Amino acid sequence: MAEEKDTKIRDLEDFAGIASDWFWETDAEHRFTYFSGRMEEVTKIPKSEILGRRRDIVASDRADLAKWNDHIADLNACRPFKDFEYSINRRTDGSVLWMRVAGQPLFADDGTFIGYRGTGHDITHEKEAMQRLVETNTQLAERNRELDEARNALERAAYVDALTGLLNRRSFERDLQCVLDNACGSVGLLHVDLDRFKWVNDTLGHPAGDTVLSEAARRISIVVGDKGAVYRVGGDEFLIIMQDGVTSDLAQWVGDAIVEAMAAPICHGNQRATVGASVGFAIAKDGRMSPSRLLANADVALYAAKRGGRNMVCETTSEMEAQIRADRRLAADIPVAIERQEFVAYFQPQVNVGTGAIVGAEALVRWQHPELGLLLPGTFLDSAAELGLLAEIDRHMLRQALETAARLKQQGLILPSVSVNISAARLVDPELPKDIDEIWVDRSCRLAVELLETIYFDESRETPQFEDNLAQLREMGVRIETDDFGSGRASITGLLKIWPDRLKVDRSLIQAAVNEPVKRSIVSAILDMTRGLGIEAVAEGVETHADIEAIRALGCNIFQGYALARPLCEADLASFLDAQQSAWRAASL
């Protein structure tokens, strides 16, 4: 029998010599009595350090007591076990060895328990790989969390006004359409405009103006409560949607309460400002009115409140509706104005904040009306869009802008680049690339097209023609720009779809970045995003030296706004460029 056992042991040793695992045995007290030679080779641990000792004594990893208690319970119950993992510290170099063991109980012929026999396997590399994977996954999870937070902050900026925290114009347009589509009763719309707000900005400064806007948002929100939703839609304008069968009396009460709330002075440091508010409202019976018509009615009522002496509330009347009809007559003049070339280009210069050099100008449309004088685009562009005439105005502005650049060049005045607004409807016109190719003759002045409706488009406009036009324009050397990012219309999704060469950060965000660290971080995130995407950024609405210093600190190199110049006609632009170039030459001497 002894000879047979020795033979089995030799066979076991021979097998252990060619296997990656090793074999072990313990006695009835669970002390190690045998290790195959492979054990020392694989683990780099001398047998002498382990023979005669128990597994739970030599192990360095006893942190998981429940695991060890279960293992010891198996041993005490003489049960087989497998895949038990633990670690040992090597004395030779202090490194950790992880092993996975399995064992089978041994019994004498009379059934007496005499120990265990089993196998061991080195899983150190496996454990280290798993640890690296866990650490990598943890790092990736943290990075994803940071990216999610940045994305959520930017997406929130698309729906929330950066200064006041109210919902913005984009949210308003979405919500008003939804409310009217699903109305079960009357829908009311209140348009609030702060009185004497321009005086605050002009005399006390924009920081005081921002304080007034924030406090106005707070007061209006308190008055409205749960009776409606409040939106800041730009400047000192607020809109309130009321539904659930709102009555004229309730809308009047809310309007009166807002006027009363805004009559109290607002403090900014040691300064006090009294602005007041005017309110116009309109009611859509049973929601049977288009969003544009309801908004137009509320606007007319607001105009009446201001004309009536301010600090008052007006509801749309038949007389006011007559004003709407007058607006429609103005819209009817648009086709004739196009034919008579009454739409003229004004230019707002753009400058490099570091060098002071003029890098280009944005062409802005104005209507030189024979009776009403110079009209801003807000008075006619929506009507032109409804009439399907934006393309004609776009084409005319493009031609004027490029012809102006050519005439300036003949005078020795250099306009490096000109950008023109292009409506989304025009961007799906298959004739657009051809028109630009024919009109853009002198290409020493770079050309950029600026998307009038910023960078978001509805599904109906995401067409192959739209993508093809952008591709053709880029191939011709035309730069693609997006406008008013952060105003409430732009979205990250739309930005990635278009991937413009240049992104213009909206004035509201630039103003907020001057005064509020939180808002500054949002602008900083936008600028980091543009740099990461290889998109040049332009700050819009830069009006003061503080604005310039803020964008310089944030790393935005290009800006436009009243701090440089108001929109200029061609003659004034020529004078402006001449003065700039003269100053540049004088500084170079």
Side-chain angles (χ1 to χ4, degrees):
M1 290 294 294
E3 183 178 352
E4 181 180 353
K5 181 178 180 181
D6 290 342
T7 301
K8 289 181 178 180
I9 292 176
R10 284 195 299 273
D11 291 342
L12 190 62
E13 292 280 5
D14 290 342
F15 180 74
I18 62 173
S20 61
D21 292 356
W22 61 85
F23 298 95
W24 55 267
E25 288 183 356
T26 62
D27 58 19
E29 299 299 324
H30 308 301
R31 294 185 295 264
F32 289 109
T33 59
Y34 167 75
F35 273 102
S36 59
R38 184 65 171 164
M39 180 266 189
E40 285 188 328
E41 180 182 344
V42 173
T43 66
K44 305 297 189 296
I45 298 176
K47 294 180 184 179
S48 59
E49 292 185 7
I50 300 179
L51 290 176
R53 305 175 70 189
R54 291 166 54 96
R55 179 177 292 109
D56 56 333
I57 299 301
V58 300
S60 62
D61 175 29
R62 295 290 305 274
D64 192 343
L65 292 179
K67 176 189 70 174
W68 274 100
N69 289 338
D70 290 343
H71 177 61
I72 293 172
D74 285 337
L75 296 181
N76 292 336
C78 304
R79 290 190 293 261
F81 63 89
K82 64 179 181 178
D83 297 331
F84 180 72
E85 298 177 359
Y86 68 102
S87 65
I88 294 177
N89 289 326
R90 293 187 177 99
R91 292 186 181 180
T92 53
D93 57 6
S95 62
V96 175
L97 166 72
W98 276 93
M99 60 187 73
R100 182 184 294 127
V101 296
Q104 189 73 23
L106 301 176
F107 299 92
D109 292 341
D110 60 1
T112 302
F113 172 71
I114 60 174
Y116 272 92
R117 177 179 295 159
T119 60
H121 182 71
D122 182 1
I123 59 169
T124 304
H125 292 307
E126 178 183 330
K127 282 286 187 178
E128 291 174 346
M130 286 297 296
Q131 181 62 31
R132 289 193 296 269
L133 181 60
V134 168
E135 292 173 355
T136 300
N137 287 340
T138 300
Q139 293 170 358
L140 288 174
E142 177 63 20
R143 180 57 177 161
N144 286 337
R145 185 190 64 78
E146 293 173 353
L147 291 174
D148 285 341
E149 288 180 355
R151 183 179 67 251
N152 290 337
L154 292 173
E155 289 292 353
R156 283 194 298 271
Y159 286 96
V160 177
D161 175 57
L163 176 63
T164 65
L166 295 176
L167 297 171
N168 60 17
R169 179 176 292 277
R170 185 181 185 188
S171 298
F172 168 76
E173 293 170 348
R174 174 199 62 196
D175 294 350
L176 182 59
Q177 182 69 65
C178 181
V179 166
L180 289 172
D181 287 345
N182 298 282
C184 297
S186 298
V187 175
L189 180 63
L190 286 76
H191 193 165
V192 181
D193 189 84
L194 302 186
D195 299 326
R196 297 178 298 279
F197 179 72
K198 185 176 184 300
W199 176 87
V200 174
N201 271 342
D202 291 346
T203 59
L204 303 182
H206 286 288
D210 288 344
T211 298
V212 168
L213 290 172
S214 297
E215 177 62 15
R218 188 187 71 84
R219 295 181 185 182
I220 293 170
S221 297
I222 291 174
V223 169
V224 174
D226 60 359
K227 292 180 286 296
V230 184
Y231 306 80
R232 182 191 173 211
V233 294
D236 58 343
E237 295 182 71
F238 301 84
L239 288 168
I240 302 162
I241 299 176
M242 301 178 67
Q243 51 182 318
D244 296 330
V246 60
T247 64
S248 294
D249 288 343
L250 178 57
Q252 180 75 42
W253 181 89
V254 170
D256 289 338
I258 290 173
V259 171
E260 181 180 354
M262 291 308 304
I266 297 173
C267 295
H268 174 74
N270 296 325
Q271 300 171 320
R272 287 164 59 90
T274 302
V275 291
S278 298
V279 182
F281 73 90
I283 304 293
K285 302 297 184 182
D286 299 323
R288 294 176 182 175
M289 192 177 291
S290 69
S292 59
R293 173 75 181 278
L294 182 59
L295 181 58
N297 285 356
D299 287 348
V300 170
L302 174 62
Y303 177 72
K306 284 187 169 295
R307 186 173 55 185
R310 303 176 186 272
N311 291 308
M312 62 184 301
V313 182
C314 287
E315 182 179 7
T316 305
T317 64
S318 57
E319 291 78 11
M320 296 174 192
E321 291 180 347
Q323 178 62 51
I324 296 176
R325 290 192 291 272
D327 292 340
R328 291 174 181 169
R329 285 195 296 272
L330 182 65
D333 291 340
I334 292 177
V336 177
I338 292 175
E339 184 178 344
R340 294 175 179 173
Q341 298 188 6
E342 294 173 1
F343 294 103
V344 295
Y346 272 57
F347 300 86
Q348 186 159 50
Q350 299 165 334
V351 68
N352 185 300
V353 70
T355 65
I358 302 300
V359 298
E362 177 186 358
L364 304 167
V365 63
R366 300 288 187 267
W367 184 357
Q368 190 63 61
H369 196 281
E371 298 175 4
L372 303 177
L374 192 68
L375 301 180
L376 297 177
T379 62
F380 58 83
L381 278 187
D382 287 343
S383 297
E386 292 178 2
L387 295 171
L389 295 175
L390 271 185
E392 287 298 321
I393 296 176
D394 285 350
R395 185 181 293 108
H396 188 57
M397 287 301 99
L398 173 65
R399 187 179 297 277
Q400 275 199 44
L402 292 173
E403 289 176 350
T404 294
R407 285 191 289 269
L408 292 172
K409 182 179 179 181
Q410 291 173 357
Q411 300 172 51
L413 302 172
I414 303 303
L415 185 62
S417 175
V418 64
S419 61
V420 295
N421 290 310
I422 298 292
S423 63
R426 178 74 164 134
L427 280 170
V428 296
D429 181 357
E431 296 298 316
L432 175 63
K434 179 183 176 182
D435 287 347
I436 291 180
D437 190 45
E438 292 176 352
I439 296 172
W440 192 23
V441 178
D442 183 359
R443 302 194 177 183
S444 60
C445 176
R446 296 192 305 274
L447 175 63
V449 297
E450 190 167 309
L451 308 190
L452 184 63
E453 292 169 314
T454 68
I455 59 174
Y456 81 99
F457 296 90
D458 60 29
E459 295 295 329
S460 66
R461 288 170 177 162
E462 293 178 16
T463 64
Q465 185 64 59
F466 167 75
E467 296 174 357
D468 184 57
N469 279 357
L470 285 185
Q472 289 190 58
L473 293 180
R474 283 192 165 104
E475 187 176 350
M476 291 163 53
V478 178
R479 300 182 67 188
I480 307 300
E481 299 183 1
T482 60
D483 193 16
D484 297 337
F485 191 87
S487 66
R489 290 178 175 267
S491 71
I492 298 174
T493 301
L495 178 71
L496 295 179
K497 286 180 182 177
I498 294 175
W499 211 295
D501 301 292
R502 176 184 278 184
L503 178 147
K504 302 179 78 174
V505 183
D506 186 66
R507 174 191 177 280
S508 63
L509 279 182
I510 296 300
Q511 297 298 315
V514 175
N515 305 302
E516 300 182 46
V518 173
K519 308 298 173 55
R520 189 179 301 120
S521 67
I522 293 176
V523 177
S524 179
I526 291 174
L527 295 176
D528 286 342
M529 176 186 66
T530 60
R531 283 188 285 268
L533 295 174
I535 299 173
E536 185 178 51
V538 178
E540 290 188 298
V542 176
E543 300 180 356
T544 66
H545 180 72
D547 295 348
I548 295 175
E549 291 305 313
I551 66 167
R552 187 198 306 271
L554 289 170
C556 184
N557 297 322
I558 309 297
F559 78 88
Q560 67 182 71
Y562 289 177
L564 179 64
R566 292 176 177 269
L568 306 169
C569 65
E570 180 177 331
D572 290 341
L573 177 63
S575 299
F576 176 85
L577 291 176
D578 183 53
Q580 291 287 322
Q581 291 181 196
S582 296
W584 185 273
R585 286 193 295 270
S588 301
L589 295 178

